[in-house]
Amino acid sequence: MAETTSRRRGRGGGGAARRAERTAVRIETAKYIERNIPNFEILNEEALEIIENNAETVLEEVGVNFIDNPKALERWREAGADVVGERVRIPRGLARKLCETAPSQFTQHARNPEKSVVIGGRNLVLAPVYGPPFVRDIHGGRRYATMEDFNKFVKLAYMSKWLHHSGGTVCEPTDIPVNKRHLDMLMAHMTLSDKPFMGSVTDPSRAQDSVEMCEILFGKEFVQENTVMTSLTNINSPMTFDDVMMGALEVYAKNNQACIISPFIVGGAMAPVSVAGTLTQVLAEVLAGIAYSQLIRPGAPAIFGAFVTSIDMNSGAPTFGTPEAAHITYGAGQLARRLGVPYRSAGSFCGSKLPDAQAAYETANSLNMGLLSGVNFMLHSCGWLEGGLVADFEKFVMDADQLGVLHGLAKGVAYDENAQAMDAIREVGPGGHYLGCAHTQANFKDAFWKTELLDYKPFETWEDEGSRDTRTLAAQRVEHLLANYRQPELDPGIAAALSAYVEEKKASMPDAFM
Amino acid sequence: MAETTSRRRGRGGGGAARRAERTAVRIETAKYIERNIPNFEILNEEALEIIENNAETVLEEVGVNFIDNPKALERWREAGADVVGERVRIPRGLARKLCETAPSQFTQHARNPEKSVVIGGRNLVLAPVYGPPFVRDIHGGRRYATMEDFNKFVKLAYMSKWLHHSGGTVCEPTDIPVNKRHLDMLMAHMTLSDKPFMGSVTDPSRAQDSVEMCEILFGKEFVQENTVMTSLTNINSPMTFDDVMMGALEVYAKNNQACIISPFIVGGAMAPVSVAGTLTQVLAEVLAGIAYSQLIRPGAPAIFGAFVTSIDMNSGAPTFGTPEAAHITYGAGQLARRLGVPYRSAGSFCGSKLPDAQAAYETANSLNMGLLSGVNFMLHSCGWLEGGLVADFEKFVMDADQLGVLHGLAKGVAYDENAQAMDAIREVGPGGHYLGCAHTQANFKDAFWKTELLDYKPFETWEDEGSRDTRTLAAQRVEHLLANYRQPELDPGIAAALSAYVEEKKASMPDAFM
């Protein structure tokens, strides 16, 4: 696995430098995952064809609504759809035909070229949690998120080896006016990290701001010719495309920037209670959404999204890490591959209020399924808590450590001569042990995934050290990482231009908190 | 899913009976899992052939040791192996040929016929943790296990819907003499539960006692014609078969009882540090072991076992839920299917000292992999803690709840007309919701897996109820289940005969604690 490495250096010379070197924190970023293992194909050909056929029937007979968006209706009419009021009925095959111009994979550039990612194909790009209005940590409990929290999460994502992407709204900075916070969020991603990031979708004008800030960061021409943002445009399931999300999508597609077209499904509420029915609706929605992005600009990158949870039918609460969510995630991956576009799903999903065993079971179920279902872009891959209401600091680093397991799994099984280890088996023989043999000595350093968090110490040592549970260990890791954070370098001229842009924008309008 | 259900009944008549009925605990046992999903095949044909070829080379050139067992050496010599000292070199193809008489699946009978299990094929049978000398619970902490703890675990396994099997040494009852505890353990499985169980392997005479107690429970003739125990005979990896385990295997095979032939591997210590090398050794060991069982009695049921952990090369500690263990577990499943015998691997493995997030991540990784790798018999499927040193009461019910997720996953995706839900999609349409629609009403009861433990309540409710974490909820569930335990009925004559057997056996020898 190719890795880009930088090392925090001490500033002093001589002894101080050597001391600093000894206590330095290595900042490594793993290359995005290139799967060398098969996908798990849960649906057979017959089921896939039925679902695809039914999705076309839904588009043709039931249709989708484009709300408060006459221009969109006009575009659909021109493309050959049957438009009545805001309802768009799409003739069988038309949406899939339009999707053909969407690329099967694309590069999202980071300002540090070593951290650019290729989204699609057999790759998996991991990005942190998105959207929680609350944060939680072991010391301060649960509280509304602030910009200070946001900055901390961006720093933690930057420091996390297994995260390839800085994400977007890692938490909602509720202390900043709604109409201005996207500027501070983008500024944080652009200056506190050098990993790729997401743009704003809460208003078309904010999407436009995102593009303009990228033009400052990457250069205007570069942005028009390359993809530098992947943004999240949710579909209002069932089958409703609102003007805000579609307005943002229009801005991004026009500028060749990527969008995740993502049905937001709580099964039994926004989609049928059955897996096959949900997959049908998801496919119909994504077909319509990606087709629409291609009406804006053929070739604009678009991702097949599926945010899916099941529901506790007693309380109506969404549930996570469940078998039904897994079935849908596996199935949607197959549908995305047949459509020939990148796939977004899964994440560190859980319903638990605390980063406890429930949270970890649910999260591990979802992460494993995400890897095996062929997800190409995994938003929410760490830090998600309480159904997405909370971004949790300890869970962020706990999940981020588990993402290393996914990297290891995806490597697959080597079976070259060295991996066959026949010399070792001959050397050791019955009743011996392998700890000291030549093959072990030559291979042990890279043989096993290593945690940077979990505890494997003998019981007595663990007890002597205070019987710490995972959350306590994670809190210490959060503290350690933030204490050792060092900002990646950025051209001072660009930094100043970004600051000026943000200041000017903020000054141009009054604060709004709604 | 067919289920056998019994209901705890109140003893009084009238009002008391109705009250008892209202607070009754339903004791349901799910049928063993019959997979309706594919296996995950991580190795390609070329890799499988290389490993199978190399395993034959290991058996032919390196061989295996049968220790302190002249009769075994004699059997091997007669079968055509090259025996020098205790080393048995097996000509290419001979072991695989001998394995052909081992059944691809078999029924293990329970004394309650509704709880008999079929081990092999596409089935998965779940059994609890095996072997820990310590127990832990939230109130008493970590301590040596006693017979009282053992009985509690047997009761919990009996009460657990998703456990199909009562297991064997669910913990070591260290307060009972070593040479007598197998009698009390068997007595517990036979009288406190009606699920299938395992026999003793710590001495051939104790295996014989297990057979004799089963003859009392099931009838002598029934035992000779049917399999009523599945027992665990570990291989002393690398490639060593000791006289104790093989002595037990000989007793069981002779009596047509099933054995799991299980290499015990900490990768890098008892096997090569590479996955392909470990798989080669595991296959060679299992081939030799199952072949040997067929030399004792052709047709005796035998299971391809693989207990595999990776290792922390710094401390030498075993590690769990890792990618390398997953690779080996997936690969061994393929090798077992090609050999045509049932497969045992995976479990609720973790290295954590507490039933915390680490424990749950590691466990969920292993459980998911166990399902997808095609495991037929999963020992340790709940309750395992601290690398197997501890059986944890809370984790027992936490894991047991997650086993329900495996049942749900294994059901696969229905795509009949009802599952397609086209009427629902037509009925609801864009912008509607599915909560009240006819299809949801008709299907919601069975649509989603339901936890009996995890918390999905709104934050405020959860906080009002004391902000309980998973372990606290689990402790309450343990207490609730044990308080509502009711012993399954057993013919009093059989119960008395079993007691008399145990008393007589105990009286026949002095206590031994070594």
Side-chain angles (χ1 to χ4, degrees):
Chain A
M1 192 183 321
E3 280 164 10
T4 59
T5 305
S6 58
R7 194 179 250 280
R8 181 168 186 269
R9 287 190 201 85
R11 291 201 173 176
R18 280 192 300 277
R19 272 194 305 281
E21 186 71 13
R22 276 197 302 274
T23 59
V25 170
R26 287 172 63 86
I27 302 177
E28 288 180 295
T29 300
K31 192 177 176 191
Y32 53 83
I33 291 174
E34 297 169 287
R35 285 182 184 80
N36 191 31
I37 56 173
N39 297 312
F40 186 69
E41 312 272 350
I42 202 164
L43 301 176
N44 61 27
E45 181 68 24
E46 186 187 7
L48 287 164
E49 282 175 11
I50 287 173
I51 290 166
E52 287 175 342
N53 184 54
N54 285 349
E56 295 287 352
T57 302
V58 169
L59 290 175
E60 185 171 57
E61 292 182 17
V62 182
V64 298
N65 281 358
F66 275 72
I67 304 293
D68 293 336
N69 196 342
K71 193 86 200 344
L73 300 174
E74 188 49 41
R75 288 191 183 99
W76 274 118
R77 202 174 281 117
E78 279 171 23
D82 168 33
V83 180
V84 178
E86 293 189 316
R87 183 74 60 97
V88 178
R89 290 186 177 80
I90 306 171
R92 189 168 290 273
L94 174 60
R96 189 170 281 268
K97 178 81 191 154
L98 288 169
C99 289
E100 282 175 8
T101 52
S104 61
Q105 65 175 51
F106 64 92
T107 299
Q108 182 187 348
H109 294 269
R111 72 172 169 95
N112 177 348
E114 290 181 337
K115 297 188 183 174
S116 295
V117 292
V118 178
I119 298 175
R122 299 198 54 73
N123 302 341
L124 171 56
V125 172
L126 300 167
V129 62
Y130 186 104
F134 299 99
V135 296
R136 183 187 269 282
D137 66 29
I138 201 169
H139 308 298
R142 185 185 192 261
R143 60 192 186 275
Y144 275 105
T146 64
M147 196 63 215
E148 193 188 336
D149 295 313
F150 189 100
N151 288 340
K152 280 187 191 169
F153 279 120
V154 172
K155 290 175 184 176
L156 288 175
Y158 171 68
M159 307 277 282
S160 295
K161 177 173 178 180
W162 308 116
L163 276 176
H164 318 112
H165 203 283
S166 194
T169 310
V170 286
C171 61
E172 278 287 348
T174 60
D175 54 339
I176 312 287
V178 167
N179 60 339
K180 299 181 180 176
R181 63 177 67 149
H182 65 290
L183 300 163
D184 289 348
M185 292 195 278
L186 279 164
M187 194 69 181
H189 286 300
M190 290 177 171
T191 61
L192 300 179
S193 180
D194 62 0
K195 295 184 179 181
F197 54 83
M198 305 172 80
S200 176
V201 295
T202 54
D203 192 89
S205 70
R206 296 174 200 151
Q208 185 59 41
D209 291 350
S210 306
V211 171
E212 287 169 13
M213 286 180 74
C214 280
E215 289 174 344
I216 297 171
L217 185 66
F218 290 94
K220 192 159 184 155
E221 204 170 310
F222 190 89
V223 169
Q224 284 307 315
E225 285 167 9
N226 296 283
T227 298
V228 297
M229 280 180 289
T230 296
S231 304
L232 177 64
T233 50
N234 280 329
I235 296 167
N236 227 327
S237 301
M239 297 174 285
T240 304
F241 296 77
D242 69 43
D243 58 321
V244 172
M245 284 289 165
M246 287 306 103
L249 178 140
E250 289 157 16
V251 170
Y252 287 125
K254 202 169 57 188
N255 288 282
N256 199 33
Q257 300 307 307
C259 280
I260 306 166
I261 318 273
S262 211
F264 184 95
I265 306 273
V266 177
M270 291 87 140
V273 80
S274 64
V275 170
T278 298
L279 285 170
T280 300
Q281 184 184 308
V282 164
L283 178 58
E285 292 174 345
V286 169
L287 280 169
I290 295 185
Y292 183 65
S293 76
Q294 302 305 300
L295 290 179
I296 303 294
R297 174 168 168 166
I303 298 177
F304 184 133
F307 176 89
V308 180
T309 84
S310 41
I311 191 172
D312 175 9
M313 293 302 286
N314 294 324
S315 66
T319 52
F320 298 89
T322 63
E324 296 77 26
H327 288 158
I328 294 167
T329 306
Y330 286 128
Q334 294 178 267
L335 297 170
R337 288 191 286 282
R338 287 162 69 100
L339 188 56
V341 292
Y343 176 44
R344 170 260 162 150
S345 197
S348 59
F349 297 143
C350 63
S352 189
K353 316 295 179 294
L354 296 171
D356 57 3
Q358 174 177 348
Y361 284 124
E362 293 173 333
T363 292
N365 287 349
S366 187
L367 292 180
N368 279 291
M369 149 197 104
L371 177 70
L372 298 186
S373 65
V375 166
N376 299 117
F377 186 79
M378 194 192 290
L379 195 57
H380 309 300
S381 70
C382 64
W384 169 290
L385 197 70
E386 203 190 314
L389 285 174
V390 174
D392 184 272
F393 281 97
E394 286 84 30
K395 186 156 184 286
F396 194 97
V397 299
M398 287 156 59
D399 295 338
D401 190 62
Q402 283 293 303
L403 298 179
V405 176
L406 302 191
H407 281 75
L409 278 168
K411 277 200 279 188
V413 179
Y415 56 97
D416 56 80
E417 207 171 321
N418 179 58
Q420 291 176 41
M422 287 297 280
D423 287 349
I425 296 175
R426 287 193 180 96
E427 179 186 338
V428 170
H433 73 80
Y434 288 83
L435 287 172
C437 85
H439 181 265
T440 303
Q441 292 302 312
N443 290 284
F444 83 88
K445 275 190 184 156
D446 299 317
F448 299 119
W449 166 72
K450 283 182 201 69
T451 179
E452 296 191 83
L453 175 72
L454 305 181
D455 176 90
Y456 299 133
K457 291 175 179 154
F459 174 74
E460 292 72 18
T461 313
W462 171 80
E463 203 175 32
D464 288 347
E465 292 179 358
S467 305
R468 292 173 296 181
D469 69 359
T470 319
R471 192 185 184 196
T472 307
L473 291 170
Q476 291 169 354
R477 183 163 169 78
V478 168
E479 206 171 306
H480 177 73
L481 288 174
L482 291 178
N484 285 278
Y485 169 79
R486 194 185 184 204
Q487 194 165 1
E489 280 176 23
L490 175 63
D491 180 293
I494 291 176
L498 285 169
S499 288
Y501 180 90
V502 168
E503 268 175 51
E504 195 181 319
K505 271 281 163 187
K506 283 189 170 181
S508 73
M509 51 189 165
D511 291 354
F513 271 96
M514 286 288 285
Chain B
M1 193 182 320
E3 280 165 10
T4 59
T5 304
S6 58
R7 196 177 250 277
R8 181 170 186 268
R9 289 190 200 83
R11 291 202 175 173
R18 280 192 299 276
R19 274 194 303 281
E21 187 70 14
R22 278 198 300 276
T23 59
V25 170
R26 286 173 62 85
I27 301 176
E28 288 180 294
T29 300
K31 191 176 177 192
Y32 53 82
I33 292 174
E34 297 169 286
R35 286 182 182 80
N36 192 30
I37 56 173
N39 297 311
F40 185 69
E41 313 272 350
I42 202 165
L43 301 176
N44 61 26
E45 181 67 24
E46 186 187 9
L48 287 164
E49 283 175 12
I50 287 173
I51 289 166
E52 287 175 341
N53 185 53
N54 285 349
E56 295 287 352
T57 302
V58 169
L59 290 175
E60 185 170 57
E61 292 181 17
V62 182
V64 298
N65 282 358
F66 275 72
I67 303 294
D68 294 335
N69 197 341
K71 194 84 200 343
L73 299 174
E74 188 49 39
R75 289 191 183 99
W76 274 117
R77 200 174 282 120
E78 280 171 23
D82 169 33
V83 179
V84 179
E86 295 190 314
R87 183 74 60 97
V88 178
R89 290 186 176 81
I90 306 171
R92 187 167 290 272
L94 174 60
R96 188 170 283 267
K97 179 79 190 152
L98 288 169
C99 288
E100 282 175 7
T101 52
S104 61
Q105 65 175 51
F106 64 92
T107 299
Q108 182 187 348
H109 294 269
R111 71 171 170 95
N112 178 347
E114 290 182 338
K115 298 189 182 173
S116 295
V117 293
V118 178
I119 298 175
R122 300 198 53 74
N123 302 343
L124 171 55
V125 172
L126 299 168
V129 61
Y130 186 105
F134 299 99
V135 296
R136 181 187 269 283
D137 66 28
I138 201 169
H139 308 296
R142 184 185 192 262
R143 60 192 186 275
Y144 274 103
T146 65
M147 197 62 215
E148 192 188 338
D149 295 314
F150 189 100
N151 289 340
K152 281 187 188 167
F153 279 120
V154 172
K155 291 175 183 176
L156 289 175
Y158 172 68
M159 308 275 284
S160 295
K161 177 173 179 180
W162 308 115
L163 276 177
H164 318 112
H165 203 282
S166 194
T169 310
V170 287
C171 61
E172 278 287 348
T174 60
D175 54 339
I176 311 289
V178 167
N179 60 338
K180 300 181 178 176
R181 63 175 68 146
H182 66 289
L183 300 164
D184 288 349
M185 292 194 279
L186 279 164
M187 194 69 182
H189 286 300
M190 290 177 172
T191 61
L192 300 179
S193 181
D194 62 0
K195 295 184 180 181
F197 53 83
M198 306 171 79
S200 175
V201 295
T202 54
D203 191 87
S205 69
R206 296 173 200 152
Q208 185 59 41
D209 292 349
S210 306
V211 171
E212 288 168 13
M213 286 180 74
C214 280
E215 288 174 345
I216 297 171
L217 185 66
F218 290 94
K220 190 157 185 158
E221 205 170 310
F222 190 87
V223 169
Q224 283 307 315
E225 284 167 11
N226 297 282
T227 298
V228 298
M229 281 181 287
T230 296
S231 304
L232 178 64
T233 49
N234 280 327
I235 297 167
N236 227 326
S237 300
M239 295 172 288
T240 304
F241 296 76
D242 68 43
D243 58 322
V244 172
M245 284 289 166
M246 286 306 102
L249 178 140
E250 289 158 16
V251 170
Y252 286 125
K254 202 168 58 188
N255 288 282
N256 199 33
Q257 300 306 307
C259 280
I260 306 165
I261 318 271
S262 212
F264 184 95
I265 306 276
V266 178
M270 289 87 137
V273 80
S274 64
V275 169
T278 298
L279 285 169
T280 300
Q281 183 184 309
V282 163
L283 179 58
E285 291 174 346
V286 169
L287 279 169
I290 296 185
Y292 183 65
S293 76
Q294 302 304 299
L295 289 180
I296 303 294
R297 174 166 169 168
I303 298 177
F304 184 132
F307 176 90
V308 181
T309 83
S310 41
I311 190 171
D312 175 10
M313 293 303 284
N314 293 324
S315 65
T319 53
F320 298 89
T322 62
E324 296 77 26
H327 288 157
I328 294 167
T329 306
Y330 286 128
Q334 294 178 266
L335 296 170
R337 288 190 287 282
R338 286 162 70 100
L339 186 56
V341 292
Y343 176 44
R344 169 260 162 149
S345 197
S348 60
F349 296 144
C350 63
S352 189
K353 317 295 180 294
L354 296 171
D356 58 1
Q358 174 177 347
Y361 284 124
E362 293 173 332
T363 292
N365 288 348
S366 187
L367 292 180
N368 279 289
M369 150 197 104
L371 177 72
L372 298 186
S373 65
V375 166
N376 300 116
F377 186 79
M378 194 192 290
L379 194 58
H380 308 301
S381 71
C382 65
W384 169 290
L385 196 70
E386 202 190 314
L389 285 174
V390 174
D392 185 272
F393 281 96
E394 287 84 29
K395 187 156 183 285
F396 193 98
V397 300
M398 288 156 58
D399 294 339
D401 189 63
Q402 283 293 302
L403 298 179
V405 177
L406 302 192
H407 281 74
L409 277 168
K411 278 199 278 189
V413 179
Y415 56 98
D416 56 79
E417 208 173 323
N418 179 57
Q420 290 176 41
M422 286 297 280
D423 286 348
I425 297 174
R426 286 193 181 93
E427 179 186 339
V428 172
H433 74 79
Y434 288 83
L435 286 172
C437 84
H439 182 266
T440 303
Q441 292 303 313
N443 290 282
F444 82 88
K445 275 191 181 154
D446 299 316
F448 300 119
W449 166 72
K450 283 181 200 70
T451 180
E452 297 191 83
L453 175 72
L454 303 181
D455 176 272
Y456 300 132
K457 291 176 179 154
F459 173 75
E460 293 72 17
T461 312
W462 170 82
E463 204 175 31
D464 287 347
E465 292 180 357
S467 304
R468 292 173 296 180
D469 69 359
T470 320
R471 193 185 183 197
T472 306
L473 292 170
Q476 291 169 355
R477 183 162 168 78
V478 168
E479 206 171 307
H480 176 74
L481 287 174
L482 291 178
N484 286 278
Y485 169 79
R486 193 185 184 205
Q487 194 163 2
E489 281 176 22
L490 176 63
D491 180 292
I494 291 176
L498 285 170
S499 289
Y501 180 91
V502 168
E503 269 175 49
E504 193 180 320
K505 270 283 163 185
K506 283 189 169 180
S508 73
M509 51 190 164
D511 291 354
F513 270 97
M514 286 286 285

